[in-house]
């Protein structure tokens, strides 16, 4: 009997103090722009977890202890060129690191554009991004976060998606389905790490552009998703991070977004490291590059 009581109490404690929860973004039969098909989600684990062909998008929630919580949260969009999601490298690992600073980390497994399982596939990542921000905001009390301190963070193509959310948060791209969709999708701040920003330029990451818009984009699509052209005074304060020697997504992407922010009087911080290449995530292998999270935390503390 004592053993049974111990096991019951232990199980309850694990349930109460579990730090991660996976929540569907949408009710299964109400996923916008979804087409029933034979396409299946794929998970490949090598040095990192790569997820492709996402069919049922989710958020995975990592929370700090209540005693350490700052009330801030970061909704995280992993990169992967709109072809795959570098899910742990630029998602789960980042969320856990944020937890160490008292910040909630919410990783979004968003849908990647597909001509097989979606209609108007260029809108689908933004649809999931808006929903993710709204859903997190709707659960602020349950997550022990401030609904006015929720940021969006993205890496590479995930940075493009986060910057799209930051410049298209009030664009109607899906029909509301519940109370969460009545809330604002505007992030309170943005963190863009070696982001794809601009399309149809010499500095464009062609893979991201082609995967999102196709080889023959619809009229106006290139302009619409060149996010430096969509910045306004209502774009959230933004922290930008890049490496000068990034040959995949040139640093000019961050520079043009920073310039647009300054021109619109949006508070912005830009940190360009001399080396690091592309896709360095936390940059833990480099003693200089790995200092960037501390710059981010200091900037977050400065936000009003």
């Amino acid at each position: 009997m004592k053993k049974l009581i111990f096991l019951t109490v232990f199980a309850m404690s694990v349930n109460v103090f579990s730090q991660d929860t996976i929540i569907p973004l949408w009710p299964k039969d109400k996923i916008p722009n979804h087409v029933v098909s034979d396409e299946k989600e794929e998970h490949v684990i090598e040095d990192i977890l790569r997820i492709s062909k996402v069919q049922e998008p989710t958020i995975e929630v990592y929370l700090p202890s209540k005693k350490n919580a700052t009330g801030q949260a970061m909704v995280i969009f992993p990169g992967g060129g709109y072809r795959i999601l570098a899910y742990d490298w630029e998602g789960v690992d980042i969320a856990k690191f944020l937890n160490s600073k008292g910040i909630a980390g919410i990783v979004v497994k968003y849908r990647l554009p597909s001509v097989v399982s979606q209609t108007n596939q260029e809108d689908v990542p933004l649809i999931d991004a808006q929903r993710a921000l709204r859903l997190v905001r709707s659960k602020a009390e349950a997550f022990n976060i401030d609904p006015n301190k929720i940021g969006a963070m993205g890496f590479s193509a995930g940075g493009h998606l986060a910057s799209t959310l930051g410049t298209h948060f009030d664009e109607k791209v899906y029909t509301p389905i519940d109370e969460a969709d009545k809330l604002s999708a505007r992030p309170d701040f943005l963190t863009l790490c070696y982001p794809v920003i601009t399309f149809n330029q010499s500095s464009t990451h062609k893979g991201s552009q082609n995967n999102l818009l196709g080889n023959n984009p619809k009229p106006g699509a290139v302009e619409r998703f060149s996010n430096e052209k969509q910045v306004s005074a209502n774009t959230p304060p933004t922290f930008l991070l890049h490496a000068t020697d990034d040959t995949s997504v040139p640093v000019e992407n961050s520079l043009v977004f920073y310039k647009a922010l300054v021109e619109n009087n949006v508070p912005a911080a830009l940190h360009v490291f001399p080396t690091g290449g592309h896709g360095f995530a936390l940059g833990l292998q480099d003693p200089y590059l790995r200092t960037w999270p501390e710059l981010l935390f200091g900037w977050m503390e400065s936000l009003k």
Side-chain angles (χ1 to χ4, degrees), residues 14-304:
V14 169
N15 183 58
V16 171
F17 295 106
S18 177
Q19 294 296 293
D20 60 284
T21 305
I22 296 178
I23 302 172
L25 269 186
W26 310 94
K28 194 165 186 178
D29 59 344
K30 294 184 179 180
I31 303 176
N33 296 44
H34 177 67
V35 175
V36 177
S37 71
D38 293 330
E39 192 171 62
K40 304 294 183 184
E41 185 169 308
E42 296 179 358
H43 291 222
V44 176
I45 301 176
E46 294 173 348
D47 52 339
I48 63 173
L49 170 59
R50 293 172 171 85
I51 300 177
S52 60
K53 301 179 182 178
V54 174
Q55 300 299 306
E56 296 182 7
T58 61
I59 55 173
E60 186 166 359
V61 182
Y62 289 84
L63 303 177
S65 65
K66 285 191 174 183
K67 191 171 183 178
N68 285 328
T70 65
Q72 292 176 314
M74 196 79 83
V75 178
I76 306 164
F77 300 97
Y82 285 120
R83 183 180 61 84
I84 62 102
L85 302 179
Y87 192 76
D88 50 1
W89 178 246
E90 294 173 343
V92 173
D93 286 359
I94 305 299
K96 292 178 178 178
F97 195 82
L98 291 170
N99 282 179
S100 72
K101 295 293 185 177
I103 302 164
I106 296 96
V107 186
V108 186
K109 188 183 74 173
Y110 58 93
R111 286 175 292 164
L112 301 157
S114 169
V115 297
V116 176
S117 61
Q118 298 162 13
T119 59
N120 296 319
Q121 62 269 15
E122 70 277 5
D123 286 339
V124 168
L126 176 58
I127 288 172
D128 286 354
Q130 286 188 0
R131 174 66 176 181
L133 210 296
R134 289 178 170 129
L135 190 61
V136 170
R137 188 159 274 143
S138 75
K139 296 181 179 296
E141 184 176 357
F143 294 166
N144 191 38
I145 60 175
D146 186 329
N148 299 310
K149 293 183 179 180
I150 302 172
M153 181 182 208
F155 297 79
S156 192
H160 183 267
L161 181 53
S163 69
T164 303
L165 180 61
T167 53
H168 298 72
F169 53 84
D170 57 355
E171 185 176 329
K172 186 175 180 180
V173 286
Y174 70 93
T175 302
I177 64 167
D178 57 22
E179 290 299 308
D181 286 329
K182 295 180 181 179
L183 300 175
S184 172
R186 180 184 182 272
D188 295 296
F189 50 92
L190 297 175
T191 300
L192 308 180
C193 304
Y194 40 88
V196 177
I197 294 291
T198 191
F199 285 163
N200 209 32
Q201 302 292 330
S202 59
S203 55
T204 299
H205 183 251
K206 278 293 184 184
S208 295
Q209 177 176 326
N210 292 343
N211 289 331
L212 181 64
L213 304 182
N215 294 327
N216 296 296
K218 294 177 181 178
V222 169
E223 177 91 5
R224 177 187 174 203
F225 288 106
S226 290
N227 290 328
E228 81 280 8
K229 298 180 181 181
Q230 308 305 325
V231 172
S232 72
N234 206 27
T235 301
T238 302
F239 178 99
L240 289 147
L241 170 71
H242 227 112
T244 303
D245 65 348
D246 189 334
T247 57
S248 295
V249 178
V251 69
E252 283 76 13
N253 283 267
S254 284
L255 297 180
V256 295
F257 199 74
Y258 178 76
K259 182 174 183 290
L261 292 167
V262 171
E263 289 173 348
N264 283 273
N265 297 311
V266 176
L270 170 64
H271 296 277
V272 179
F273 285 78
T275 59
H278 187 72
F280 51 77
L282 289 169
L284 298 180
Q285 296 79 17
D286 186 300
Y288 182 31
L289 193 60
R290 69 187 180 197
T291 64
W292 79 259
E294 292 301 326
L295 298 171
L296 171 62
F297 297 142
W299 178 78
M300 289 176 66
E301 288 177 349
S302 75
L303 296 174
K304 299 188 186 300

